[in-house]
Amino acid sequence: MAAIKLNLNLSSQIVLNKISEDIYRPKTAVDRSELTRYEKIPTDIYLKSDDGVKHLADVIEQRIKQKQEVGTMFVLGLGAGSSLIPVYQELIHRYEHKQLSFKNVAVFNAYEYFPLPAGSPISCLSQLKDRFLDKVDIDPNNIFSPDGSIAQDKVQEHCRQYERYIEQMDGIDLMLLGIGRMGNIASNEPGSALSSTSRLILVNEVSRQEMSMSIGAQQPVPPCSITMGIATILQAKEIFLVAWGEDKDDIIHDTVEGRITDTIPASYLQTHNNAHVIIDFPAAAHLTRVIHPWLVKSCKWTDKLVRSALVWLCQKTDKPILKLTNKDYNENGLSDLLALYGSAYNANIKIFNDLQHTITGWPGGKPNADDMYRPERCLPYPKRVIVFSPHPDDDVISMGGTIRRLVQQGHDVHVAYETSGNIAVGDEEVTRFMHFINGFNQIFNDERDSIIKNKYKEIKQYLDNKKEGDLDTSDILTIKGLIRRGEARTACTFNGIPLDHVHFLDLPFYESGRIEKLPMTEKDVDVVLGLLQEVQPHQIFVAGDLADPHGTHRKCTDAVLAAIDLERQTDADWLKDCKIWMYRGAWAEWEIENIEMCVPMSPEELRSKRNAILKHSSQMESAPFLGNDERLFWQRAEDRNRGTAMLYDKLGLACYEAMEAFVEYRPDETANQ
């Protein structure tokens, strides 16, 4: 029997829009020229980010060794973004295995926060040192960085001197950059000029949130940054822009295929004759050759690709599916489909029926019904169901209507909250609950409980003196976790789920007390595995929010998928009769071509979903991590669900108030990739 392998990164192998390798990895220069006709920066797409990281590390290693052979310095410009961390880790690995030395390398830090106290641990330079520079043999004298602690009246001259240092090193040989959601490179915000050099710049709120998440700080980063300018970056001899994950797919499309504009500073890389973009498949999802391959070459048509093409054609012509004509196909580059299906009508009816069959009011399967064209099988009935929720509100935000349906239709529903969610509770919530506990103690216990009395004073004193950036004590984190548990129980009770079916897993990776979490390990997987083996579900619902900006959803999903994979490897009987559905929450929605089950909601059901979300009162206006979207979570959920229903309606399908969408996860397919 083969050894059992623990796979902790299966989410990175989920590829929904499967296209042939020759489209994202063209074999010849002619093929590349044809496929990338819309792309204005040379772009390499890798199925897995690990492959892209290794390629980039190969390039850097080669460039360093070329300089070593002639006895000169290799000058490297570096950003501090989280997308570069795996590249640094790979370079450290090569150094530790004596493949590579950095003794002839000089580094210029791309930007630094301002103002900073001297020696601040949240500085970009501190992060670079911690993640890379202190772990290799680079000479500290060869590390250059803007100084975020310098007096404001000296910043301008400091920036000029920084430019002179770069000139004295004969310029930057290779510039390694990440990209922000606003298209910022280094700290060049939208509006930065092509001619800009190193300077002090005001950082917008979205970029500051990204920076805080990147360094794992709970306190906001300073409002300004001293950054290399666009002109400084473009003077580098070679530039690599790196992006991983589907949360970067829109900005990568705009950077690579859009026009040059100061509203997307990364688009200036189109003017450089040796700039390269290195991305994984999810980050490439909106490039034309990936999302609309029929526009660049003849396709090998799959059912999913045909569905994608017809949805695109409907949106382009503003017609429902059944009104598309042969002329519409011919005028928009889809004549291949006419040859394949014989006529527009045949193609239209095929895709119309495919989409119609995704709609079901029976998410657990309809008992005693013909399930040939239903997304879920009718038997067994009732089903044992586990809904895995990364935080104690993602279940109702993402699939509150579906949960309610499953309960009302008689299924045995369990909800498993994977993390405590304690860092997402504001201090004022703790104060409010402590006031209640203290008041309760005074009224009903005559203040004789010294433990409560002393603990109240201790926590109140800490919160009164707490400064921005101070970490919560273990007691405060415990109280915040209890607050979220109480809200989750209330929401489950509202949805008719018995409390003995509500599970708080408290996965260890989350309990760092910081935004930056611990690595997900076998301990996390064991917790999930224990619940799966206990319940042995027929249905599993798991988060598919792989673009979650905080990363918690992805780690939680990886823990569940790893546990399922372990059971698959042991040929567990229960898994043979189990379907796994991925939902999305407040951050994004599934593309319609990928949806395999869509559960409609009436206006009353949507209102019930909202009420369940509102039971999580600590996550309303005062929640610390609402992201860059000003809408509250219930508003995002409703807009997203209504948007899905509207899209089905515009395609000529049934018209509903709102819909929740799901994609099936097939363990065997992912494991064999």
Side-chain angles (χ1 to χ4, degrees), residues 394-438:
D394 288 311
D395 55 330
V396 287
I397 290 173
S398 306
M399 51 175 293
T402 302
I403 289 173
R404 204 165 179 83
R405 280 277 178 97
L406 289 166
V407 172
Q408 291 172 346
Q409 290 168 2
H411 297 286
D412 186 28
V413 179
H414 296 250
V415 179
Y417 297 106
E418 294 167 89
T419 71
S420 66
N422 53 19
I423 69 164
V425 178
D427 291 342
E428 66 274 14
E429 292 290 324
V430 176
T431 301
R432 183 164 69 91
F433 276 85
M434 290 301 296
H435 283 326
F436 171 81
I437 292 170
N438 190 53

Side-chain angles (χ1 to χ4, degrees), residues 2-19:
I4 294 176
K5 180 183 177 184
L6 180 62
N7 297 305
L8 295 177
N9 194 27
L10 286 170
S11 67
S12 67
Q13 299 178 35
I14 296 172
V15 178
L16 300 177
N17 296 324
K18 293 181 180 177
I19 60 175

